[in-house]
Amino acid sequence: MSSKRVYIETFGCQMNVADTERAVTRLRASGYDILDSPESADILLFNTCSVRARAEQKVYNRIGETLKKAGKVEKIIGVMGCVAQLEGDSIFERAPKVNLVVGTRAVDRLPEIIGRVLDGEKRASDLGERRLDEGLDISPAERHSPYVAFVPIIEGCNKFCTYCIVPYSRGRERSRSATAILSEVNRLHADGYREVHLIGQNVNSYRPSNDVGLENFTGATPFSRLLRAVAGTGIARIKFTTSFPRDFHPDIMTAIEEQQNLCDWIHLPVQSGSDHILRRMRRGYNADYYKRLVDVIKQAKRPVAFTSDIIVGFPGETDEEFEQTLKLIEHCRYDAIYIFKYSERRGTPAAKLTDDVPSDVKAARFQALSSMQKTIQGRIHKSLIGKTLDVLVEGESAKSALDMTGHSTCHRVVNFSGGHSLAGRVVQVRVTDAKVNSLYGELMN
Ligand code: SF4
């Protein structure tokens, strides 16, 4: 094969988006062309997600569809990401057209793995470890946005919630060194990025192997020291996600109060309001503990937007237990929630429990939660009318070519009438109208 044109399709979370950016950086540096569509590519890569069984099936369907379209044209097919890490070489049996299996920690070696197939190996796989601080550079051209950058600070998870596959697909927690993170943020700042998202399955479990880079920063935990250190780079806006309740130290709120460039948004997934279900999920906290954290967040001098994830229909969840989740939502008055209907993930402890909540009950609980949240969210959004928000302008609104769109520091989508020259700037927008999922406003400066 003479040309080396690659197409990568990404499924799932921000960690996968960051891995794709890294893979593309590596591939381009090795002489590959990256295409926006699969038709004329020689190599098709699928960076996969396995958080839900459906997501995994979707990948196999997508591979089938793409190959059907390609007809008789020979292509190299690679599966990357969580499905690759979990299923390993068995993917070659399930999808015999696949030539490459590249685990979550092997992304940086992608050019070499492809090289093995180009050199004649029929099937190549790499499920080895990542060298955390090496080869993590992402070229600005490959970032998903020229203004907002994802910066992974920790990979993997040690929590082993019973329903979750991540500790198996991403491995145990491994924190990047503070020096590597700070030098990446400094570079992004110098390159004109306005916002960084410090990302990881549980960012507040951040525990680097040494203190280098954090010596001059105070804080009750390595994560709150890192927040102060990243704030010290002077980059305009810093967001972080996801936080794990059990590791959420109040000092995170103190850091947010102190440092203006730490954004006023916390994503703290609760999953359920029932102590019994939280125990069966092995989340390591109960509803009272979580409510105490909520009080700390709500009492902050600087108001902070607060979002969560909820699973409905976990095995054994009774009507009363679901009611407790509704009560918790009422108590927390989240700015947004992401609701998931429980679905079994093969290989997790919860898969041994009977998935006994009927699908119509899961759907009804989903609806009840969603409509309660819409009412809460609608009220919160209405209360923002007349207020002025700092918005990072990210581009044209999907709904109208006359409008621009961006996110506020509190991570709300804000649309307003304005020109394309504003893209990349932080502007002040006065909110004039509120929908459940977005705000509309007028440009102030
Ligand atoms: S904390 Fe729980 S839900 Fe989150 S990644 Fe770890 S195991 Fe999964």
Side-chain angles (χ1 to χ4, degrees):
M1 191 174 289
S2 54
S3 61
K4 294 186 288 183
R5 290 166 299 182
V6 182
Y7 168 75
I8 305 192
E9 201 158 297
T10 309
F11 300 79
C13 67
Q14 293 168 333
M15 294 298 275
N16 270 12
V17 173
D19 273 343
T20 294
E21 291 172 346
R22 206 169 284 140
V24 170
T25 302
R26 235 30 100 257
L27 288 168
R28 262 201 235 274
S30 305
Y32 292 87
D33 285 336
I34 309 297
L35 305 188
D36 291 334
S37 62
E39 287 75 25
S40 43
D42 309 299
I43 302 162
L44 305 178
L45 300 173
F46 297 88
N47 193 5
T48 60
C49 167
S50 62
V51 163
R52 255 157 283 285
R54 231 183 9 199
E56 191 175 317
Q57 188 52 48
K58 215 162 114 187
V59 170
Y60 286 111
N61 295 346
R62 185 72 187 122
I63 293 175
E65 252 169 47
T66 319
L67 282 174
K68 209 160 146 197
K69 271 202 201 137
K72 290 201 177 357
V73 183
E74 276 288 305
K75 295 193 190 274
I76 291 176
I77 308 288
V79 176
M80 302 161 53
C82 294
V83 174
Q85 189 70 40
L86 286 171
E87 305 294 326
D89 289 1
S90 71
I91 291 176
F92 296 133
E93 312 307 319
R94 179 157 179 195
K97 296 262 163 117
V98 170
N99 314 88
L100 302 165
V101 170
V102 183
T104 48
R105 279 97 80 190
V107 169
D108 307 322
R109 297 185 288 276
L110 196 50
E112 295 95 84
I113 309 165
I114 296 177
R116 283 162 52 193
V117 172
L118 290 172
D119 288 344
E121 243 181 83
K122 196 164 173 290
R123 288 165 168 178
S125 64
D126 184 340
L127 305 176
E129 281 302 320
R130 192 199 299 275
R131 294 176 296 270
L132 255 192
D133 285 337
E134 291 171 30
L136 278 176
D137 291 348
I138 298 172
S139 146
E142 316 310 348
R143 296 268 182 190
H144 72 285
S145 153
Y147 321 117
V148 180
F150 294 150
V151 177
I153 65 164
I154 180 169
E155 258 197 328
C157 183
N158 293 350
K159 310 297 190 271
F160 288 91
C161 303
T162 54
Y163 53 85
C164 182
I165 199 73
V166 166
Y168 311 93
S169 62
R170 288 262 168 196
R172 302 297 171 272
E173 284 168 7
R174 296 175 74 213
S175 298
R176 277 178 85 188
S177 71
T179 41
I181 296 166
L182 293 171
S183 89
E184 184 171 351
V185 176
N186 276 319
R187 218 168 34 244
L188 289 163
H189 188 200
D191 287 345
Y193 282 84
R194 312 306 307 266
E195 183 172 300
V196 290
H197 288 216
L198 307 179
I199 60 168
Q201 263 77 32
N202 293 305
V203 278
N204 56 331
S205 309
Y206 177 72
R207 259 176 205 73
S209 60
N210 63 50
D211 214 30
V212 182
L214 298 178
E215 307 93 328
N216 300 326
F217 297 92
T218 55
T221 64
F223 180 62
S224 56
R225 295 171 72 197
L226 180 74
L227 284 180
R228 290 181 173 96
V230 174
T233 64
I235 194 148
R237 297 158 46 130
I238 301 146
K239 295 178 178 175
F240 53 88
T241 181
T242 296
S243 295
F244 186 66
R246 211 171 61 207
D247 290 347
F248 195 90
H249 194 287
D251 189 39
I252 294 173
M253 296 312 300
T254 313
I256 290 177
E257 283 177 358
E258 278 165 16
Q259 312 285 336
Q260 206 50 42
N261 53 352
L262 291 178
C263 288
D264 45 348
W265 167 52
I266 305 271
H267 184 64
L268 194 68
V270 65
Q271 306 300 6
S272 169
S274 148
D275 288 348
H276 178 233
I277 294 294
L278 286 170
R279 238 184 349 264
R280 280 161 70 89
M281 289 177 165
R282 212 193 287 139
R283 292 286 291 177
Y285 54 84
N286 59 22
D288 269 347
Y289 169 89
Y290 187 87
K291 282 186 195 157
R292 283 199 296 278
L293 287 184
V294 176
D295 293 341
V296 171
I297 294 170
K298 300 254 171 185
Q299 280 157 17
K301 288 189 215 96
R302 184 174 159 209
V304 167
F306 178 43
T307 57
S308 190
D309 298 336
I310 311 278
I311 296 172
V312 294
F314 187 78
E317 185 187 65
T318 62
D319 287 343
E320 292 70 36
E321 286 163 346
F322 175 65
E323 282 292 324
Q324 288 162 6
T325 299
L326 288 175
K327 285 210 178 91
L328 186 101
I329 302 297
E330 228 168 3
H331 176 92
C332 295
R333 300 186 55 75
Y334 290 109
D335 295 88
I337 57 173
Y338 304 90
I339 312 167
F340 304 90
K341 286 185 244 168
Y342 173 79
S343 71
E344 184 181 300
R345 278 310 290 110
R346 195 159 44 91
T348 59
K352 297 199 184 89
L353 305 171
T354 312
D355 185 5
D356 54 358
V357 180
S359 56
D360 58 332
V361 174
K362 283 181 188 165
R365 289 179 186 170
F366 184 103
Q367 268 317 322
L369 206 49
S370 158
S371 85
M372 173 184 259
Q373 178 60 26
K374 272 190 189 146
T375 310
I376 294 172
Q377 218 163 298
R379 281 198 198 120
I380 295 176
H381 277 193
K382 285 241 152 39
S383 74
L384 293 170
I385 294 178
K387 300 234 157 67
T388 300
L389 302 176
D390 284 341
V391 176
L392 171 57
V393 188
E394 288 160 51
E396 189 180 290
S397 153
K399 298 231 169 87
S400 161
L402 300 175
D403 290 343
M404 298 300 281
T405 190
H407 282 87
S408 61
T409 52
C410 51
H411 211 56
R412 291 188 169 90
V413 174
V414 183
N415 301 306
F416 62 96
S417 165
H420 284 81
S421 62
L422 295 173
R425 280 175 52 189
V426 175
V427 296
Q428 290 198 312
V429 176
R430 198 174 69 88
V431 180
T432 54
D433 195 10
K435 306 247 174 339
V436 172
N437 291 317
S438 62
L439 300 171
Y440 194 85
E442 61 190 9
L443 190 63
M444 299 299 286
N445 49 356

Coordinates of all heavy atoms in Angstrom, one line a residue, residues 181-246:
I181 N 2.0 18.5 33.6 CA 0.7 19.2 33.4 C 0.9 20.7 33.3 O 0.4 21.4 32.4 CB -0.2 18.9 34.6 CG1 -0.6 17.4 34.7 CG2 -1.5 19.8 34.6 CD1 -1.2 17.0 36.0
L182 N 1.7 21.3 34.2 CA 1.9 22.7 34.2 C 2.6 23.2 32.9 O 2.3 24.2 32.3 CB 2.7 23.2 35.4 CG 2.0 23.0 36.7 CD1 2.9 23.2 37.9 CD2 0.8 23.9 36.8
S183 N 3.6 22.4 32.4 CA 4.2 22.8 31.2 C 3.2 22.7 30.0 O 3.3 23.6 29.1 CB 5.5 22.1 30.9 OG 5.3 20.9 30.2
E184 N 2.3 21.7 30.0 CA 1.3 21.7 28.9 C 0.4 22.9 29.0 O 0.1 23.5 28.0 CB 0.5 20.4 29.0 CG -0.5 20.3 27.9 CD -1.2 18.9 27.8 OE1 -0.8 18.0 28.5 OE2 -2.1 18.8 27.0
V185 N 0.0 23.3 30.2 CA -1.0 24.4 30.4 C -0.2 25.7 30.0 O -0.8 26.6 29.3 CB -1.5 24.5 31.8 CG1 -2.4 25.8 31.9 CG2 -2.4 23.3 32.1
N186 N 1.0 25.8 30.4 CA 1.8 27.0 30.0 C 1.9 27.2 28.5 O 1.8 28.2 27.9 CB 3.2 27.0 30.6 CG 3.2 27.5 32.0 OD1 2.5 28.5 32.3 ND2 3.9 26.9 32.9
R187 N 2.1 26.0 27.8 CA 2.3 26.0 26.4 C 0.9 26.4 25.7 O 0.9 27.2 24.8 CB 2.7 24.7 25.9 CG 3.7 24.7 24.7 CD 4.3 23.4 24.4 NE 3.5 22.2 24.6 CZ 3.8 21.3 25.5 NH1 4.9 21.4 26.3 NH2 3.0 20.2 25.6
L188 N -0.2 25.8 26.3 CA -1.5 26.2 25.7 C -1.8 27.7 25.9 O -2.3 28.3 25.0 CB -2.6 25.3 26.4 CG -2.6 23.8 26.1 CD1 -3.3 23.0 27.1 CD2 -3.2 23.6 24.7
H189 N -1.4 28.2 27.0 CA -1.6 29.6 27.3 C -0.9 30.4 26.3 O -1.4 31.4 25.7 CB -1.2 29.9 28.7 CG -1.5 31.3 29.2 ND1 -0.8 31.9 30.3 CD2 -2.4 32.2 28.8 CE1 -1.3 33.1 30.5 NE2 -2.2 33.3 29.6
A190 N 0.4 30.1 26.1 CA 1.2 30.8 25.1 C 0.7 30.7 23.7 O 0.8 31.6 22.9 CB 2.7 30.3 25.2
D191 N 0.0 29.5 23.4 CA -0.5 29.3 22.0 C -1.9 30.0 21.9 O -2.5 29.8 20.8 CB -0.7 27.8 21.8 CG 0.6 27.1 21.5 OD1 1.6 27.9 21.3 OD2 0.7 25.9 21.6
G192 N -2.4 30.7 22.9 CA -3.6 31.4 22.8 C -4.9 30.7 23.2 O -6.0 31.2 23.0
Y193 N -4.7 29.5 23.8 CA -5.9 28.9 24.4 C -6.5 29.7 25.5 O -5.7 30.2 26.3 CB -5.6 27.4 24.8 CG -5.5 26.5 23.7 CD1 -4.3 26.4 22.9 CD2 -6.6 25.8 23.3 CE1 -4.2 25.6 21.8 CE2 -6.5 25.0 22.1 CZ -5.4 24.9 21.4 OH -5.3 24.1 20.3
R194 N -7.8 29.7 25.7 CA -8.4 30.5 26.7 C -8.9 29.6 27.9 O -9.0 30.1 29.0 CB -9.6 31.3 26.2 CG -9.4 32.1 24.9 CD -8.2 33.0 25.0 NE -8.3 33.9 26.1 CZ -8.7 35.1 26.1 NH1 -9.2 35.6 25.0 NH2 -8.7 35.9 27.2
E195 N -9.1 28.4 27.6 CA -9.7 27.5 28.6 C -9.1 26.1 28.6 O -8.9 25.6 27.5 CB -11.2 27.4 28.3 CG -12.0 26.6 29.4 CD -13.5 26.8 29.1 OE1 -14.1 27.9 29.2 OE2 -14.2 25.7 28.9
V196 N -8.8 25.6 29.8 CA -8.4 24.2 29.8 C -9.3 23.4 30.7 O -9.9 24.0 31.7 CB -6.9 24.0 30.4 CG1 -5.9 24.5 29.4 CG2 -6.7 24.7 31.8
H197 N -9.6 22.2 30.3 CA -10.4 21.3 31.1 C -9.4 20.2 31.7 O -8.8 19.5 30.9 CB -11.4 20.6 30.3 CG -12.6 21.4 29.9 ND1 -13.9 21.0 29.9 CD2 -12.6 22.7 29.6 CE1 -14.7 22.0 29.5 NE2 -13.9 23.1 29.3
L198 N -9.2 20.2 33.0 CA -8.3 19.2 33.6 C -9.2 17.9 33.6 O -10.3 18.0 34.2 CB -7.9 19.6 34.9 CG -7.2 20.9 35.0 CD1 -6.8 21.2 36.5 CD2 -5.9 21.0 34.1
I199 N -8.9 16.9 33.0 CA -9.8 15.7 32.9 C -9.2 14.5 33.4 O -8.0 14.3 33.5 CB -10.3 15.5 31.4 CG1 -9.1 15.2 30.5 CG2 -11.1 16.7 30.9 CD1 -9.6 14.6 29.1
G200 N -10.1 13.6 33.8 CA -9.7 12.3 34.4 C -11.0 11.6 34.9 O -12.0 12.3 35.1
Q201 N -11.0 10.3 35.1 CA -12.2 9.7 35.6 C -12.6 10.3 37.0 O -13.7 10.5 37.3 CB -12.0 8.2 35.7 CG -12.5 7.4 34.5 CD -11.6 7.5 33.3 OE1 -10.4 7.6 33.5 NE2 -12.2 7.5 32.2
N202 N -11.5 10.5 37.8 CA -11.7 11.2 39.1 C -10.6 12.2 39.3 O -9.5 11.8 39.8 CB -11.7 10.1 40.2 CG -12.9 9.2 40.1 OD1 -14.0 9.7 40.1 ND2 -12.6 7.9 40.0
V203 N -10.8 13.4 38.9 CA -9.7 14.3 38.9 C -9.2 14.6 40.4 O -8.0 14.8 40.6 CB -10.0 15.7 38.2 CG1 -9.8 15.6 36.7 CG2 -11.3 16.2 38.6
N204 N -10.2 14.6 41.3 CA -9.8 15.0 42.7 C -9.2 13.8 43.4 O -8.8 14.0 44.6 CB -11.0 15.5 43.4 CG -12.2 14.6 43.4 OD1 -12.4 13.8 42.5 ND2 -13.0 14.7 44.5
S205 N -9.0 12.7 42.7 CA -8.2 11.6 43.3 C -6.7 11.8 42.9 O -5.9 10.9 43.2 CB -8.7 10.3 42.9 OG -10.1 10.2 43.1
Y206 N -6.4 12.9 42.3 CA -5.0 13.2 41.8 C -4.0 13.0 42.9 O -4.0 13.6 43.9 CB -5.0 14.6 41.2 CG -3.6 15.0 40.7 CD1 -3.1 14.5 39.5 CD2 -2.8 15.9 41.4 CE1 -1.9 14.8 39.0 CE2 -1.6 16.3 40.9 CZ -1.1 15.7 39.7 OH 0.1 16.1 39.3
R207 N -3.0 12.1 42.6 CA -1.9 11.8 43.5 C -0.6 11.5 42.8 O -0.4 10.4 42.5 CB -2.3 10.6 44.4 CG -2.8 11.1 45.8 CD -3.2 10.1 46.8 NE -4.2 10.7 47.7 CZ -5.4 11.1 47.4 NH1 -5.9 10.9 46.2 NH2 -6.2 11.7 48.3
P208 N 0.1 12.5 42.5 CA 1.4 12.3 41.7 C 2.4 11.6 42.6 O 2.3 11.6 43.8 CB 1.8 13.7 41.3 CG 1.3 14.6 42.3 CD 0.0 14.0 42.8
S209 N 3.4 11.0 42.0 CA 4.3 10.2 42.8 C 5.3 11.1 43.5 O 6.0 10.7 44.5 CB 5.1 9.2 41.9 OG 5.8 10.0 40.9
N210 N 5.4 12.4 43.1 CA 6.2 13.3 43.9 C 5.6 14.7 43.8 O 4.6 14.9 43.1 CB 7.7 13.3 43.4 CG 7.8 13.8 42.0 OD1 7.3 14.8 41.6 ND2 8.5 13.0 41.2
D211 N 6.3 15.6 44.6 CA 5.7 16.9 44.8 C 6.3 18.0 43.8 O 5.9 19.2 43.9 CB 6.2 17.3 46.2 CG 5.3 18.1 47.0 OD1 4.1 18.0 46.7 OD2 5.7 19.0 47.8
V212 N 7.1 17.5 42.9 CA 7.8 18.5 42.1 C 6.8 19.3 41.3 O 5.9 18.7 40.6 CB 8.8 17.8 41.1 CG1 9.6 18.8 40.3 CG2 9.8 16.9 41.9
G213 N 6.9 20.6 41.3 CA 6.0 21.5 40.6 C 5.0 22.1 41.5 O 4.3 23.1 41.2
L214 N 4.7 21.4 42.7 CA 3.7 21.9 43.6 C 4.2 22.4 44.9 O 3.5 22.9 45.8 CB 2.7 20.7 43.9 CG 2.0 20.0 42.8 CD1 1.1 18.9 43.3 CD2 1.1 21.0 42.1
E215 N 5.6 22.5 45.0 CA 6.2 22.8 46.3 C 5.8 24.2 46.7 O 5.7 24.4 47.9 CB 7.8 22.9 46.2 CG 8.4 21.7 45.6 CD 8.7 21.8 44.1 OE1 7.8 22.4 43.4 OE2 9.7 21.2 43.6
N216 N 5.5 25.1 45.8 CA 5.2 26.5 46.2 C 3.7 26.8 46.4 O 3.3 27.9 46.5 CB 5.8 27.5 45.2 CG 7.3 27.3 45.1 OD1 7.9 27.0 46.1 ND2 7.8 27.5 43.9
F217 N 2.9 25.7 46.4 CA 1.5 25.9 46.4 C 0.9 25.2 47.6 O 1.2 24.1 47.9 CB 0.8 25.4 45.1 CG 1.3 26.2 43.9 CD1 2.4 25.7 43.2 CD2 0.7 27.4 43.6 CE1 2.9 26.4 42.1 CE2 1.2 28.1 42.5 CZ 2.3 27.6 41.8
T218 N 0.0 25.9 48.3 CA -0.7 25.4 49.5 C -1.9 24.6 49.0 O -2.4 24.7 47.9 CB -1.1 26.5 50.5 OG1 -2.0 27.3 49.7 CG2 0.1 27.2 51.0
G219 N -2.4 23.8 50.0 CA -3.6 23.0 49.7 C -3.7 21.8 50.5 O -2.7 21.2 50.9
A220 N -5.0 21.4 50.8 CA -5.1 20.2 51.7 C -4.9 18.9 51.0 O -4.7 17.9 51.6 CB -6.6 20.3 52.3
T221 N -5.0 18.9 49.7 CA -4.8 17.7 48.9 C -3.9 18.0 47.7 O -3.9 19.2 47.3 CB -6.1 17.1 48.4 OG1 -6.7 18.0 47.4 CG2 -7.1 16.8 49.5
P222 N -3.3 17.0 47.1 CA -2.5 17.3 45.9 C -3.3 18.0 44.8 O -2.9 18.8 44.1 CB -2.0 15.9 45.4 CG -2.0 15.1 46.7 CD -3.1 15.6 47.5
F223 N -4.6 17.6 44.7 CA -5.5 18.2 43.7 C -5.7 19.6 43.9 O -5.6 20.4 43.0 CB -6.8 17.4 43.6 CG -7.7 18.0 42.5 CD1 -7.3 18.0 41.2 CD2 -8.9 18.6 42.8 CE1 -8.1 18.5 40.2 CE2 -9.7 19.1 41.8 CZ -9.3 19.1 40.5
S224 N -6.0 20.0 45.2 CA -6.3 21.5 45.4 C -5.0 22.3 45.2 O -5.0 23.4 44.8 CB -7.0 21.7 46.7 OG -6.3 21.2 47.8
R225 N -3.8 21.6 45.5 CA -2.5 22.3 45.2 C -2.3 22.5 43.7 O -1.9 23.5 43.2 CB -1.4 21.6 45.8 CG -1.5 21.6 47.4 CD -0.5 20.6 48.0 NE 0.8 21.2 47.9 CZ 1.9 20.4 48.1 NH1 1.8 19.1 48.3 NH2 3.1 21.0 48.0
L226 N -2.7 21.4 43.0 CA -2.6 21.5 41.5 C -3.5 22.6 41.0 O -3.1 23.3 40.1 CB -2.9 20.1 40.9 CG -2.8 20.1 39.4 CD1 -1.4 20.1 38.9 CD2 -3.6 18.9 38.8
L227 N -4.7 22.7 41.5 CA -5.6 23.7 41.0 C -5.0 25.1 41.2 O -5.0 25.9 40.3 CB -6.9 23.7 41.8 CG -7.9 22.5 41.4 CD1 -9.2 22.6 42.3 CD2 -8.3 22.6 39.9
R228 N -4.4 25.3 42.4 CA -3.8 26.6 42.6 C -2.6 26.8 41.6 O -2.3 27.9 41.1 CB -3.3 26.8 44.0 CG -4.5 26.9 45.0 CD -4.1 27.0 46.4 NE -5.2 27.3 47.3 CZ -5.9 26.4 48.0 NH1 -5.5 25.1 47.9 NH2 -6.9 26.7 48.7
A229 N -1.8 25.7 41.4 CA -0.6 25.9 40.5 C -1.1 26.2 39.1 O -0.5 27.0 38.4 CB 0.2 24.6 40.6
V230 N -2.2 25.5 38.6 CA -2.6 25.7 37.2 C -3.2 27.1 37.2 O -3.0 27.9 36.2 CB -3.7 24.6 36.8 CG1 -4.3 25.0 35.5 CG2 -3.0 23.3 36.8
A231 N -3.9 27.6 38.2 CA -4.4 28.9 38.2 C -3.3 29.9 38.1 O -3.4 31.0 37.4 CB -5.2 29.2 39.5
G232 N -2.1 29.6 38.7 CA -0.9 30.5 38.7 C -0.3 30.6 37.3 O 0.5 31.5 37.1
T233 N -0.7 29.8 36.3 CA -0.2 29.9 35.0 C -0.8 31.2 34.3 O -0.3 31.6 33.3 CB -0.5 28.7 34.1 OG1 -1.9 28.6 33.9 CG2 0.1 27.4 34.6
G234 N -1.9 31.6 34.8 CA -2.5 32.8 34.3 C -3.5 32.5 33.1 O -4.1 33.5 32.5
I235 N -3.7 31.3 32.8 CA -4.6 31.0 31.7 C -6.0 31.4 32.1 O -6.3 31.4 33.3 CB -4.6 29.5 31.3 CG1 -5.3 29.2 30.0 CG2 -5.2 28.6 32.4 CD1 -4.8 28.1 29.2
A236 N -6.8 31.9 31.1 CA -8.0 32.6 31.5 C -9.1 31.8 32.3 O -9.7 32.3 33.2 CB -8.7 33.2 30.2
R237 N -9.3 30.6 31.9 CA -10.4 29.8 32.5 C -9.9 28.3 32.7 O -9.3 27.7 31.8 CB -11.6 29.8 31.7 CG -12.2 31.2 31.5 CD -13.1 31.4 30.3 NE -14.1 30.5 30.1 CZ -15.4 30.8 29.9 NH1 -15.8 32.1 30.0 NH2 -16.3 29.9 29.5
I238 N -10.2 27.8 33.9 CA -9.9 26.4 34.2 C -11.1 25.7 34.7 O -11.8 26.1 35.6 CB -8.8 26.3 35.3 CG1 -7.5 27.1 34.8 CG2 -8.4 24.9 35.6 CD1 -6.8 27.8 36.0
K239 N -11.5 24.6 34.0 CA -12.6 23.7 34.5 C -12.0 22.4 34.8 O -10.9 22.0 34.2 CB -13.7 23.7 33.4 CG -14.3 25.0 33.1 CD -15.4 24.9 32.0 CE -16.1 26.3 31.9 NZ -17.0 26.4 30.8
F240 N -12.7 21.6 35.5 CA -12.2 20.2 35.8 C -13.3 19.3 35.9 O -14.4 19.6 36.5 CB -11.3 20.2 37.0 CG -11.9 20.8 38.3 CD1 -12.6 20.0 39.1 CD2 -11.7 22.1 38.6 CE1 -13.2 20.5 40.3 CE2 -12.3 22.7 39.7 CZ -13.0 21.9 40.6
T241 N -13.1 18.1 35.4 CA -14.2 17.1 35.5 C -13.6 15.7 35.3 O -12.6 15.6 34.5 CB -15.3 17.4 34.5 OG1 -16.3 16.4 34.6 CG2 -14.8 17.4 33.1
T242 N -14.0 14.7 36.0 CA -15.1 14.6 36.9 C -14.6 14.5 38.3 O -13.5 13.9 38.6 CB -15.9 13.3 36.6 OG1 -16.5 13.4 35.3 CG2 -17.0 13.0 37.6
S243 N -15.4 15.0 39.3 CA -15.0 14.8 40.7 C -15.7 13.7 41.4 O -16.9 13.4 41.1 CB -15.3 16.1 41.5 OG -14.5 17.2 41.0
F244 N -15.0 13.0 42.2 CA -15.6 11.8 42.9 C -16.0 12.3 44.4 O -15.1 12.8 45.1 CB -14.6 10.7 43.0 CG -15.2 9.4 43.6 CD1 -16.2 8.8 42.9 CD2 -14.8 8.9 44.8 CE1 -16.8 7.6 43.4 CE2 -15.4 7.7 45.3 CZ -16.4 7.1 44.6
P245 N -17.2 12.1 44.8 CA -17.7 12.6 46.1 C -16.8 12.2 47.2 O -16.5 13.1 48.1 CB -19.1 12.0 46.2 CG -19.6 11.8 44.8 CD -18.4 11.4 44.0
R246 N -16.4 11.0 47.3 CA -15.6 10.5 48.5 C -14.3 11.3 48.6 O -13.8 11.4 49.7 CB -15.4 9.0 48.4 CG -15.3 8.3 49.7 CD -15.3 6.8 49.5 NE -14.1 6.4 48.8 CZ -14.1 5.3 48.0 NH1 -15.2 4.6 47.9 NH2 -13.0 4.9 47.4

